[in-house]
Every structure is written in C-alpha cells, then in structure tokens.
Amino acid sequence: TENLDGQLPLTGRGDEIDQLSLTFNDLFARIKADFDRERQFSSDVSHELNTPLTVISGQANLLLRWGKDNPEQLEKSLNAIKDESKSMHAIIENLLQISRVESGRVKPQIGEVDVRSVFERVVQEFSSVSPDVKFDVSCDLKQPVKTDPEMLHQILTVLVSNSVKFAGEKCR
C-alpha cells in the first residue's frame, strides 16, 4: 500500500508477458484509486466530525469557566451543543446509510413522493437549527416523483447544510 504507483516494465514485444504486465499495471492503478478514495473519505469524515466536536468542546469550556452563572449564555451554549450533537448524529446516520446501501443490506424504497413536502420538511428542520437562513420554495411539479423519500430528504439536507456552512447564516 505504500507504493502503488509502481509499474511493471513492458518489453514492447506485445507478447503474453506484456499482456500480463499491462493487466497487473491496470490492477495496481485501480487499487491505488480505491486506496486514494478511502483516504479522502476518511479525511472528509474526520473533518466533518471535528467541526461539531470543536463547537461542543468550546461551548462546554465556556460554560465551565463562567457561562453557567449567566442564564443567557447557559441557554445559548446548551442550544449550540444540542444543535452540534444533532449535526454529528446526522453525519453518523449518513455514514451508516452509505454502509448499508453499499453492502446491499438496504435497498432504496421507491415510492411516489411529493417533492414540495420534502422541501418543506427540510425548511422546517433548518428553521430551528439556522433561524437566520431564509428559504423560498418554488416547486412547479404537479405530480409526485418516483424516488426514495428518505434518501431524497438526506440529499437535500446535505445540500442545504453545506450551503449554510459555506454561505453563512445569512444565506437565502
């Protein structure tokens, strides 16, 4: 795993040995790509979990130092801890869902879904977590779509969460 960039030499004769070398070189390239994806995934998960943990830790330290004696700060910190805990829970649930789908233990539950209601659910969920974010839901679909409602909800939640994270609380 330390040196998957290596390649077997080719003789240039196009014989069975060259074919075998090409096959192994292709295999090494695919294994390296898999390892790279796994490393990137681990890095991304670590980063996604580290952010809420940093907020939780900071709020807990603030409370321990002086915030517990200030009712306004106590409530603010406890709400921040609660929100970040929910964020971590969502990340972990998404990881478990990915694992279940990849292992074949969970199959998408396709049904007719009113997309507008899924959008409204996401708006409702974010209204308590990010009250400064403004939503305009416009959905011209007259008929339901065929999809898995929970997977669609997860996709929209991740999309909105990333938008809020990178655009800031005042995003629309």
Side-chain angles (χ1 to χ4, degrees):
T1 60
E2 291 81 27
N3 186 12
L4 293 174
D5 290 323
Q7 297 280 300
L8 295 176
L10 301 175
T11 64
R13 288 181 256 167
D15 58 8
E16 297 88 12
I17 300 298
D18 274 357
Q19 288 298 318
L20 186 60
S21 294
L22 285 171
T23 301
F24 273 111
N25 289 343
D26 181 55
L27 176 65
F28 293 148
R30 287 185 284 140
I31 290 172
K32 181 183 183 323
D34 287 344
F35 272 101
D36 290 345
R37 270 192 303 277
E38 188 174 320
R39 284 186 190 111
Q40 184 63 49
F41 178 77
S42 296
S43 173
D44 292 347
V45 168
S46 297
H47 175 73
E48 289 297 318
L49 289 174
N50 193 45
T51 302
L53 279 173
T54 300
V55 172
I56 289 170
S57 178
Q59 293 294 330
N61 286 333
L62 188 139
L63 288 175
L64 287 171
R65 281 194 309 261
W66 59 271
K68 63 183 172 278
D69 299 326
N70 179 334
E72 186 177 309
Q73 183 60 50
L74 178 63
E75 184 170 345
K76 182 180 175 185
S77 292
L78 289 174
N79 282 326
I81 289 170
K82 184 179 104 185
D83 291 344
E84 294 303 321
S85 296
K86 282 174 32 178
S87 175
M88 285 181 59
H89 181 72
I91 292 167
I92 291 167
E93 281 300 313
N94 287 337
L95 292 172
L96 289 172
Q97 185 72 5
I98 289 168
S99 173
R100 289 180 193 126
V101 169
E102 286 180 347
S103 70
R105 290 182 291 168
V106 169
K107 303 276 189 248
Q109 301 298 310
I110 304 298
E112 291 193 350
V113 178
D114 175 25
V115 175
R116 184 180 231 344
S117 67
V118 178
F119 280 127
E120 289 171 355
R121 178 179 164 199
V122 171
V123 169
Q124 178 70 29
E125 291 168 352
F126 273 88
S127 67
S128 63
V129 176
S130 301
D132 292 337
V133 174
K134 303 296 180 220
F135 291 90
D136 290 320
V137 176
S138 175
C139 182
D140 295 333
L141 292 173
K142 305 291 187 235
Q143 299 175 9
V145 295
K146 290 187 188 264
T147 188
D148 183 304
E150 287 308 308
M151 287 184 174
L152 178 60
H153 174 262
Q154 286 179 357
I155 290 168
L156 292 174
T157 299
V158 168
L159 181 67
V160 172
S161 177
N162 282 339
S163 297
V164 170
K165 181 194 285 184
F166 294 109
E169 288 287 320
K170 301 287 184 193
C171 71
R172 180 179 187 89

